[in-house]
Amino acid sequence: MGFDYRPEARSAVSGTDPGVAEGAWPERRIDPPGALAHYRLKTGEEAALYAALAQGGENNESGRRTWYYGTAGQEVAAVLSVNTVEGDPGLAREKQQHSPTNEFRNFFAGAEARETAFFDAGPLPGRLGCGLIDTPDGADASICAWTDAYTFGTLMLTDTLDLGTAARVTRDLRTATDHRS
């Protein structure tokens, strides 16, 4: 039995945009859509209420931004979180030290995800993985994460447990949110 070593580039190197110089960040803005398929963005007081419940009064200093989406049948069916190297120097340092595989391993282990699988990341560079988790109220949900040289994002969906569907929704929402020049 032999040892199979497959070195992987750090996240800051892998998943870069073509035409962006090494160590530079792409010109972009993170702006999620007001609606995507049957999901509708929660805004104003309603969004503030969900944010307060999710944070439990904690102060988030990471630079991560979170948005809540509902559907006709559910209060919140999707929770989108995006953290960028532009907004979080700590994330930029982590991407200099760790590979995408390490990022996924840490994230999915911390989320206690099961049945994890990897999918095509779509038109933006990087990698995409999804799995199933238990929500705080004991229900099942799907959780997807994507990583590239500049971003680590997640999408939790409470209205589908099909990982292929969750990956498709994540790709679509990521593409509609991360506007690169």
Side-chain angles (χ1 to χ4, degrees), residues 11-17 20-21 23-28 30 61-65 82-98 103 146-153 178 180:
S11 294
V13 176
S14 63
T16 57
D17 284 0
V20 175
W25 300 330
E27 292 290 325
R28 67 172 175 174
I30 303 296
E61 296 180 9
S62 72
R64 181 181 66 223
R65 297 186 307 178
V82 179
N83 198 0
T84 64
V85 294
E86 301 97 312
D88 185 352
L91 180 66
R93 282 189 302 276
E94 286 178 29
K95 288 191 172 290
Q96 289 290 334
Q97 297 171 349
H98 300 290
E103 286 185 82
W146 72 88
T147 186
D148 60 34
Y150 324 104
T151 312
F152 190 86
D178 193 339
R180 299 184 188 193

Side-chain angles (χ1 to χ4, degrees), residues 122-152:
L124 294 171
R127 293 180 53 197
L128 168 66
C130 298
L132 299 176
I133 60 169
D134 296 321
T135 63
D137 64 358
D140 287 334
S142 57
I143 186 85
C144 294
W146 72 88
T147 186
D148 60 34
Y150 324 104
T151 312
F152 190 86

Side-chain angles (χ1 to χ4, degrees), residues 61-113:
E61 296 180 9
S62 72
R64 181 181 66 223
R65 297 186 307 178
T66 301
W67 297 270
Y68 303 90
Y69 284 83
T71 64
Q74 294 182 300
E75 297 265 332
V76 170
V79 179
L80 170 68
S81 292
V82 179
N83 198 0
T84 64
V85 294
E86 301 97 312
D88 185 352
L91 180 66
R93 282 189 302 276
E94 286 178 29
K95 288 191 172 290
Q96 289 290 334
Q97 297 171 349
H98 300 290
S99 70
T101 298
N102 187 271
E103 286 185 82
F104 281 123
R105 183 178 23 241
N106 291 341
F107 173 75
F108 285 126
E112 297 181 5

Side-chain angles (χ1 to χ4, degrees), residues 158-180:
T158 60
D159 64 343
T160 185
L161 299 179
D162 179 78
L163 296 183
T165 300
R168 180 186 48 76
V169 171
T170 301
R171 272 192 305 272
D172 292 349
L173 196 51
R174 177 187 182 209
T175 302
T177 299
D178 193 339
H179 307 277
R180 299 184 188 193

